[in-house]
Amino acid sequence: MAYFTNIDKIKYEGSNSTNPYAFKFYNPSEKIGDKTMEEFLRFGVAYWHTFTADLSDPFGAGTATRPWDKFSGMDLAKARVEAAFEFFEKLGVPYFCFHDVDIAPEGNSLKETNDNLDTIVAMIKDYMKDSKTKLLWNTANNFTNPRFVHGAASSNNADVFAYSAAKVKKGLEVGKELGAENYVFWGGREGYETLLNTNLKLEMDNLGRLFHMAVDYAKEIGFDAQFLIEPKPKEPTSHQYDFDVASGYAFLQHYGLQDHFKFNIEANHATLAGHTFEHELRYARVHGMLGSVDANQGHPLLGWDTDEFPTDLYSTIFAMYEIIKNGGLGTGGLNFDAKVRRGSFEPEDLFHAHIAGMDSFAVGLKVAQKLIDDKVMDGVIEDRYKSYTEGIGKDIVEGNTDLRKLEEHALGLTEIKNQSGKLELIKAQINQYLLKAYAGE
Ligand code: XLS
Ligand code: NI
Ligand code: NI
């Protein structure tokens, strides 16, 4: 059955197109540097936001009208798979991502839940045979069900730890079955509300234990996906253990897990942590830990994870700058962990939203590549740090000096000369590059 009957395959028509169902900037086969846009951007559709969510929020009921609404239970799950693959095909996206509960309803027991999952996974596998859309990552939802009220691997209740482990085990098996390129751990409720009733040390140790068990099991079953931690500072708990990349990296190193994981960085989580998106990307990149991206954006006036589709071009430019500098995302991609607004409840809005996000990242990619080619920031940076390429600076970075020698150097200084950081100049140049990209230059 077809669900989006009034929409054809979305094509690239260029920046002058007035067709809302066309890409204006995302031209999959266009070469940027040594890769095509499609190879660089590796877009993914988030199953939960696009096919499962009803657009309810904490203050109001769902508003989404979806052509699969008439079904329920397993029939609904199957209808969503059909709709999903029609959507992937029409949008031309190479990837999708899901949580276990997004694709199949939970049963009355773990066994029943797993059986439901097996049925839908078999159906997805079948659809994947005729589709070019692959699984970027899957994950276990260990946060929605009331049993996870006090956390999953970090719960005070050992039975809940066991249950979470069982769901991760199944998730790894599903990932292997569908050829997932990554496996994500977002610590939905892995954090705490208050220290007054919390054994922080035990909870973090247990989280580390579950990750080790996952690494071992993946190895045992021959599932070689890249493991990814998705940091988020808060929400739903007031303090999540995977706060940001820096604390996540310290966690991984402390528990000896750093060789088995990278990070899946979400823009809105970065801003919730009080960072910019590019800060998190840069921090992960320079430590060789940038794995994948949840491409969305927060609302500047709202303090929670609003998961908007990414349309802020400055943000996509700076994100793509980091991704290009990283040599791409390897097995990772740009997963639209983004939902249409509650007021955008028509099925067509799902297309408009993804087209907007894909075009925004295409612009980001084009502009970022030009900024790199022309060394707009690199030139300034090279010049700013040139004191470390000779003399005392060279001695510092090469480890050929000590406090005594540095004091000697400092005592001999008659004048210290600093230079401008040139921030306004760089910002004006970025505007110029952005507007030239619009003009197609
Ligand atoms: C929630 C997270 C979640 C993860 C996957 O804020 O972004 O959707 O991406 O569990
Ligand atoms: Ni996410
Ligand atoms: Ni999120």
PDB file of all heavy atoms in Angstrom, residues 186 230 232 266 268-269 294 296 305 307 337, ligand 3:
ATOM      1  N   TRP A 186      22.242   6.015  24.187  1.00  0.00           N
ATOM      2  CA  TRP A 186      21.900   7.306  24.781  1.00  0.00           C
ATOM      3  C   TRP A 186      21.343   6.987  26.171  1.00  0.00           C
ATOM      4  O   TRP A 186      20.384   6.236  26.296  1.00  0.00           O
ATOM      5  CB  TRP A 186      20.856   8.068  23.953  1.00  0.00           C
ATOM      6  CG  TRP A 186      20.346   9.243  24.735  1.00  0.00           C
ATOM      7  CD1 TRP A 186      21.095  10.277  25.221  1.00  0.00           C
ATOM      8  CD2 TRP A 186      19.014   9.466  25.186  1.00  0.00           C
ATOM      9  NE1 TRP A 186      20.302  11.137  25.939  1.00  0.00           N
ATOM     10  CE2 TRP A 186      19.017  10.669  25.939  1.00  0.00           C
ATOM     11  CE3 TRP A 186      17.803   8.781  25.032  1.00  0.00           C
ATOM     12  CZ2 TRP A 186      17.866  11.190  26.534  1.00  0.00           C
ATOM     13  CZ3 TRP A 186      16.655   9.301  25.618  1.00  0.00           C
ATOM     14  CH2 TRP A 186      16.703  10.499  26.347  1.00  0.00           C
ATOM     15  N   GLU A 230      25.881   8.813  23.090  1.00  0.00           N
ATOM     16  CA  GLU A 230      25.275  10.097  22.731  1.00  0.00           C
ATOM     17  C   GLU A 230      25.120  10.941  24.001  1.00  0.00           C
ATOM     18  O   GLU A 230      24.209  10.726  24.795  1.00  0.00           O
ATOM     19  CB  GLU A 230      23.911   9.858  22.075  1.00  0.00           C
ATOM     20  CG  GLU A 230      23.259  11.139  21.599  1.00  0.00           C
ATOM     21  CD  GLU A 230      21.922  10.900  20.899  1.00  0.00           C
ATOM     22  OE1 GLU A 230      21.778   9.900  20.169  1.00  0.00           O
ATOM     23  OE2 GLU A 230      21.014  11.721  21.102  1.00  0.00           O
ATOM     24  N   LYS A 232      24.238  13.845  26.663  1.00  0.00           N
ATOM     25  CA  LYS A 232      23.168  14.828  26.893  1.00  0.00           C
ATOM     26  C   LYS A 232      23.272  15.227  28.356  1.00  0.00           C
ATOM     27  O   LYS A 232      23.392  14.355  29.209  1.00  0.00           O
ATOM     28  CB  LYS A 232      21.807  14.195  26.589  1.00  0.00           C
ATOM     29  CG  LYS A 232      20.633  15.170  26.679  1.00  0.00           C
ATOM     30  CD  LYS A 232      19.332  14.475  26.260  1.00  0.00           C
ATOM     31  CE  LYS A 232      18.166  15.444  26.271  1.00  0.00           C
ATOM     32  NZ  LYS A 232      16.902  14.794  25.880  1.00  0.00           N
ATOM     33  N   GLU A 266      24.686  15.280  19.263  1.00  0.00           N
ATOM     34  CA  GLU A 266      23.428  15.928  18.884  1.00  0.00           C
ATOM     35  C   GLU A 266      23.522  17.422  19.154  1.00  0.00           C
ATOM     36  O   GLU A 266      23.893  17.856  20.252  1.00  0.00           O
ATOM     37  CB  GLU A 266      22.271  15.315  19.672  1.00  0.00           C
ATOM     38  CG  GLU A 266      20.939  15.985  19.355  1.00  0.00           C
ATOM     39  CD  GLU A 266      19.737  15.194  19.830  1.00  0.00           C
ATOM     40  OE1 GLU A 266      19.771  13.948  19.767  1.00  0.00           O
ATOM     41  OE2 GLU A 266      18.761  15.818  20.263  1.00  0.00           O
ATOM     42  N   ASN A 268      21.247  19.753  19.644  1.00  0.00           N
ATOM     43  CA  ASN A 268      20.427  20.282  20.740  1.00  0.00           C
ATOM     44  C   ASN A 268      20.954  19.862  22.114  1.00  0.00           C
ATOM     45  O   ASN A 268      20.814  20.584  23.105  1.00  0.00           O
ATOM     46  CB  ASN A 268      18.978  19.810  20.552  1.00  0.00           C
ATOM     47  CG  ASN A 268      17.949  20.734  21.176  1.00  0.00           C
ATOM     48  OD1 ASN A 268      16.776  20.681  20.822  1.00  0.00           O
ATOM     49  ND2 ASN A 268      18.341  21.587  22.105  1.00  0.00           N
ATOM     50  N   HIS A 269      21.617  18.707  22.183  1.00  0.00           N
ATOM     51  CA  HIS A 269      22.220  18.281  23.453  1.00  0.00           C
ATOM     52  C   HIS A 269      23.427  19.165  23.782  1.00  0.00           C
ATOM     53  O   HIS A 269      23.675  19.482  24.944  1.00  0.00           O
ATOM     54  CB  HIS A 269      22.657  16.821  23.398  1.00  0.00           C
ATOM     55  CG  HIS A 269      21.526  15.859  23.203  1.00  0.00           C
ATOM     56  ND1 HIS A 269      21.702  14.498  23.196  1.00  0.00           N
ATOM     57  CD2 HIS A 269      20.195  16.062  23.016  1.00  0.00           C
ATOM     58  CE1 HIS A 269      20.530  13.907  23.009  1.00  0.00           C
ATOM     59  NE2 HIS A 269      19.606  14.836  22.885  1.00  0.00           N
ATOM     60  N   ASP A 294      23.604  13.590  15.448  1.00  0.00           N
ATOM     61  CA  ASP A 294      22.150  13.746  15.436  1.00  0.00           C
ATOM     62  C   ASP A 294      21.879  15.187  15.028  1.00  0.00           C
ATOM     63  O   ASP A 294      22.050  16.132  15.815  1.00  0.00           O
ATOM     64  CB  ASP A 294      21.542  13.424  16.807  1.00  0.00           C
ATOM     65  CG  ASP A 294      21.165  11.952  16.914  1.00  0.00           C
ATOM     66  OD1 ASP A 294      21.503  11.182  15.987  1.00  0.00           O
ATOM     67  OD2 ASP A 294      20.531  11.570  17.909  1.00  0.00           O
ATOM     68  N   ASN A 296      20.035  18.256  14.377  1.00  0.00           N
ATOM     69  CA  ASN A 296      18.806  18.985  14.701  1.00  0.00           C
ATOM     70  C   ASN A 296      19.216  20.360  15.213  1.00  0.00           C
ATOM     71  O   ASN A 296      20.382  20.765  15.084  1.00  0.00           O
ATOM     72  CB  ASN A 296      17.951  18.214  15.720  1.00  0.00           C
ATOM     73  CG  ASN A 296      18.620  18.027  17.068  1.00  0.00           C
ATOM     74  OD1 ASN A 296      19.666  18.630  17.372  1.00  0.00           O
ATOM     75  ND2 ASN A 296      18.044  17.201  17.908  1.00  0.00           N
ATOM     76  N   ASP A 305      15.051  19.982  24.948  1.00  0.00           N
ATOM     77  CA  ASP A 305      15.453  19.337  23.703  1.00  0.00           C
ATOM     78  C   ASP A 305      14.300  19.439  22.707  1.00  0.00           C
ATOM     79  O   ASP A 305      13.476  18.539  22.608  1.00  0.00           O
ATOM     80  CB  ASP A 305      15.752  17.865  24.059  1.00  0.00           C
ATOM     81  CG  ASP A 305      16.609  17.165  23.041  1.00  0.00           C
ATOM     82  OD1 ASP A 305      17.183  17.839  22.171  1.00  0.00           O
ATOM     83  OD2 ASP A 305      16.716  15.927  23.131  1.00  0.00           O
ATOM     84  N   ASP A 307      14.416  19.540  19.490  1.00  0.00           N
ATOM     85  CA  ASP A 307      14.612  18.669  18.319  1.00  0.00           C
ATOM     86  C   ASP A 307      14.032  19.247  17.035  1.00  0.00           C
ATOM     87  O   ASP A 307      13.298  18.568  16.317  1.00  0.00           O
ATOM     88  CB  ASP A 307      13.973  17.288  18.563  1.00  0.00           C
ATOM     89  CG  ASP A 307      14.757  16.442  19.544  1.00  0.00           C
ATOM     90  OD1 ASP A 307      15.936  16.749  19.789  1.00  0.00           O
ATOM     91  OD2 ASP A 307      14.187  15.458  20.057  1.00  0.00           O
ATOM     92  N   ASP A 337      17.582  13.609  14.011  1.00  0.00           N
ATOM     93  CA  ASP A 337      16.863  13.376  15.269  1.00  0.00           C
ATOM     94  C   ASP A 337      16.047  14.644  15.516  1.00  0.00           C
ATOM     95  O   ASP A 337      16.352  15.459  16.382  1.00  0.00           O
ATOM     96  CB  ASP A 337      17.854  13.109  16.411  1.00  0.00           C
ATOM     97  CG  ASP A 337      17.141  12.640  17.668  1.00  0.00           C
ATOM     98  OD1 ASP A 337      15.901  12.673  17.680  1.00  0.00           O
ATOM     99  OD2 ASP A 337      17.820  12.252  18.630  1.00  0.00           O
TER     100      ASP A 337
HETATM  101 NI    NI B   3      17.866  14.466  21.875  1.00  0.00          NI
END
